[in-house]
Amino acid sequence: MKQRDAASDWIAEALALRLKVDKKLTLVQQLYCALKEWIQHGELAAGDLLPSSRHLSGMLGISRNTVLAAMDRLLAEGLLSAHQGAGLYVARLPTILPRAEIASPLPVRYSSRGQRLLKLGETLSNGHHAFAPGVPALDLFPREQWQRLLRRHYHHAEMGWMDYQTGGGLPELKAVLCDYLRLSRAVRCQPEQIVITQGAQQAFELITQLLTDHGDSMWMEEPGYGGAQACFLAAGLSITPVPVDEQGLNPSLAPANSPPPRLIYVTPSHQYPIGVTMPTPRRLALLDHASHAGSWIIEDDYDSEFRYDTPPTPSLQGLAAQTSVIYVGTFSKVLYPGLRLGYLVLPDTLAEAFKLAHARLHREGNYPVQSALAEFIANGHFSRHISRMRSAYRQRQACLRQALAPAVTKGLKLSEGHAGMHLLATLQSAEEEALLVKSANESGLTLSPLSRYYLSGKKHPGLVLGYAGSTEDQLLESGRWLSDAYLSIRNN
Ligand SMILES: Cc1ncc(COP(=O)(O)O)c(C=O)c1O
């Protein structure tokens, strides 16, 4: 249906409602008054096409002459104009009458949780840019194949999928996901333990809603992932930043007097943004610590598929039979972030409650998309895409390194880049970081300063340089710019 036809129907429906109300006037008067009022107050704008008299008389169940009489009056008063053979349009009026005295707007007072959230929102990067961290190669995604699959799954969508859902996701998707997680990530799971969410972000939110109260204490990696941080801060949790060393979050560096954490958030496969992998002894120490403190560990396994030299490390969740680990995964990196699909793998003891709360709070759905994804995984497209992206990202990383080589010879330190979708460039000082970010802004580039990823304490200066989402040419060009900017700052 064209937009014009839809608008005609809305006008006719609104008139039908008015006709039922204004019973004292004749039908012609009612029609005339309603349309005049809407035109004078701007609800019908100059140039809007009115429904034809035939259409209106049919929709309203009144004679066409009645409609024409009302329209003639509006035409005579200059509120409508007739275009030969094209119907009646709202005329351009010199002034639009104000609808009513404009009351002063309600003063906005954000909740303290809202204020915290908005403060964090300030660091949200706007738009796609050359070094955007965490953005996959949208240009290499098999869009046509995916769209064909989506079309087919929408076409054959079951009627039941149109209803409210309470099962924590489409069973077919949970089944293939379970196989994938067991084989590729050594996650101990059964489909019943999985809850499909709108990305990792919603999974974090659900965890805070169900397992924490306002003011509860939690541990967060320092530096750490801003998205998760936003969620925990918005939930009013008291976050203890625990320093990350070369083995990831180090429980022994937590402040001695900090209360036992209700939650511990970690990215053990590939710490975000530092990039280190947590070795097994540290994982066991963390599990041990969590079990003594009565803490749930959130394992955010966001990009472990992208390892370039070594096989992926098995998940933390799979290390022990009865663990307090809640495994969170996302399709934002392996496919694309706009898909908004992620998942939780929950201990048996939590699974049913999470499904219930998810259905209550978020209303799950979009089963045709989940069904298309299940087929994408089952037919091997998913693993083929991951393996193609692995070689593309290796190549893209090499381009960035090549472009930054002159700066590296003069002291810029780059992370090893064995995994993931970004490189970390370590800088000498906070001033250097600030100067580079400022000069990038002035040149129309965006850099993500490492200091932004710290909650408090000693911030290490650096840059988080995403490379997965940019083409090789873009990386060479922006990388050369960064290298030159670094050299000119060093030389001054
Ligand atoms: C550490 C980390 N976890 C998870 C995510 C994915 O979040 P989502 O699934 O909400 O897109 C990201 C995305 O940038 C991330 O960097």
Side-chain angles (χ1 to χ4, degrees):
M1 186 190 269
K2 290 196 305 275
Q3 206 181 334
R4 269 160 74 130
D5 297 342
S8 287
D9 284 347
W10 289 124
I11 295 170
E13 272 187 30
L15 280 172
L17 285 174
R18 275 294 281 262
L19 294 194
K20 282 189 193 132
V21 175
D22 297 341
K23 284 268 179 336
K24 290 183 273 13
L25 305 174
T26 65
L27 282 173
V28 175
Q29 285 169 330
Q30 289 181 52
L31 271 182
Y32 161 79
C33 289
L35 287 170
K36 180 173 178 171
E37 186 185 314
W38 293 341
I39 293 170
Q40 286 184 328
H41 289 129
E43 275 108 345
L44 285 175
D48 279 357
L49 175 67
L50 286 198
S52 70
S53 55
R54 193 184 308 279
H55 182 62
L56 269 183
S57 76
M59 288 276 292
L60 299 175
I62 58 179
S63 87
R64 208 168 148 213
N65 281 343
T66 306
V67 178
L68 287 172
M71 297 297 185
D72 281 347
R73 229 174 124 181
L74 293 163
L75 268 169
E77 289 179 19
L79 293 165
L80 296 181
S81 61
H83 293 218
Q84 196 67 48
L88 292 176
Y89 287 82
V90 174
R92 192 163 300 282
L93 297 185
T95 50
I96 301 283
L97 301 181
R99 180 146 253 292
E101 275 300 291
I102 297 173
S104 56
L106 192 65
V108 178
R109 189 185 59 78
Y110 291 109
S111 62
S112 42
R113 163 207 321 239
Q115 288 173 35
R116 285 192 294 269
L117 192 57
L118 291 171
K119 184 106 200 69
L120 281 162
E122 287 168 12
T123 59
L124 203 63
S125 71
N126 50 352
H128 191 98
H129 54 87
F131 298 123
V135 182
L138 305 180
D139 57 322
L140 301 179
F141 185 74
R143 270 173 58 217
E144 276 182 24
Q145 181 186 45
W146 175 242
Q147 279 160 1
R148 268 199 308 276
L149 209 56
L150 279 179
R151 273 197 295 278
R152 186 151 51 72
H153 284 262
Y154 270 110
H155 189 71
H156 296 291
E158 292 173 20
M159 194 172 76
W161 293 352
M162 296 164 76
D163 206 344
Y164 289 111
Q165 308 296 333
T166 55
L170 185 75
E172 289 81 351
L173 177 59
K174 294 201 280 182
V176 287
L177 194 52
C178 202
D179 290 343
Y180 163 70
L181 291 171
R182 268 202 303 254
L183 294 169
S184 307
R185 306 294 308 116
V187 172
R188 291 172 189 251
C189 83
Q190 295 298 324
E192 306 77 61
Q193 289 170 256
I194 296 181
V195 171
I196 306 291
T197 58
Q198 276 187 31
Q201 200 62 21
Q202 194 179 56
F204 303 143
E205 196 213 329
L206 203 52
I207 294 171
T208 62
Q209 296 276 1
L210 268 172
L211 296 178
T212 67
D213 284 310
H214 193 275
D216 274 355
S217 159
M218 75 154 304
W219 285 3
M220 174 92 207
E221 295 169 325
E222 172 86 326
Y225 172 48
Q229 208 183 81
C231 207
F232 303 139
L233 280 176
L237 301 186
S238 158
I239 303 181
T240 303
V242 179
V244 165
D245 62 19
E246 64 291 347
Q247 301 192 351
L249 179 137
N250 187 345
S252 65
L253 297 180
N257 56 355
S258 65
R262 188 81 184 114
L263 302 176
I264 301 177
Y265 168 89
V266 277
T267 48
S269 297
H270 185 230
Q271 202 277 333
Y272 191 81
I274 299 294
V276 293
T277 300
M278 190 181 279
T280 307
R282 175 68 63 83
R283 290 173 186 234
L284 294 173
L286 185 64
L287 286 172
D288 192 48
H289 188 97
S291 117
H292 281 104
S295 323
W296 295 103
I297 297 178
I298 303 174
E299 175 178 16
D300 178 5
D301 202 16
Y302 63 105
D303 75 351
S304 56
E305 288 82 0
F306 301 123
R307 290 199 81 84
Y308 308 116
D309 317 311
T310 50
T313 39
S315 68
L316 171 67
Q317 189 264 15
L319 267 184
Q322 281 304 328
T323 68
S324 49
V325 181
I326 301 173
Y327 180 92
V328 176
T330 176
F331 290 101
S332 289
K333 314 288 147 177
V334 275
L335 299 180
Y336 60 96
L339 182 60
R340 301 316 303 143
L341 278 176
Y343 49 91
L344 287 149
V345 181
L346 295 147
D348 290 328
T349 46
L350 294 180
E352 282 312 309
F354 269 69
K355 279 176 211 163
L356 192 74
H358 187 42
R360 249 325 27 184
L361 202 60
H362 301 132
R363 297 287 196 216
E364 57 166 304
N366 282 331
Y367 276 20
V369 180
Q370 294 191 25
S371 174
L373 179 55
E375 184 179 329
F376 193 77
I377 299 174
N379 286 355
H381 302 309
F382 183 65
S383 57
R384 277 192 291 279
H385 179 61
I386 291 175
S387 110
R388 272 197 299 268
M389 289 312 98
R390 223 177 262 135
S391 39
Y393 294 168
R394 189 185 281 121
Q395 220 20 61
R396 289 183 174 192
Q397 189 194 121
C399 283
L400 181 57
R401 281 186 187 283
Q402 180 191 331
L404 290 174
V408 170
T409 59
K410 295 287 178 212
L412 183 77
K413 282 206 190 71
L414 291 180
S415 56
E416 290 178 331
H418 294 309
M421 301 158 73
H422 70 266
L423 285 177
L424 184 67
T426 311
L427 299 171
Q428 315 278 336
S429 65
E431 293 72 42
E432 208 169 78
E433 186 191 87
L435 273 173
L436 281 170
V437 170
K438 180 163 173 280
S439 134
N441 273 340
E442 286 162 3
S443 306
L445 281 168
T446 308
L447 289 173
S448 306
L450 178 61
S451 57
R452 181 187 289 167
Y453 295 76
Y454 288 81
L455 266 173
S456 63
K458 189 168 173 342
K459 296 178 173 32
H460 292 277
L463 298 171
V464 181
L465 303 173
Y467 54 77
S470 306
T471 63
E472 295 179 16
D473 286 346
Q474 285 165 339
L475 287 163
L476 286 172
E477 194 189 338
S478 317
R480 278 189 208 114
W481 177 91
L482 179 56
S483 181
D484 290 347
Y486 177 82
L487 293 176
S488 88
I489 285 174
R490 294 256 85 198
N491 291 335
N492 282 328

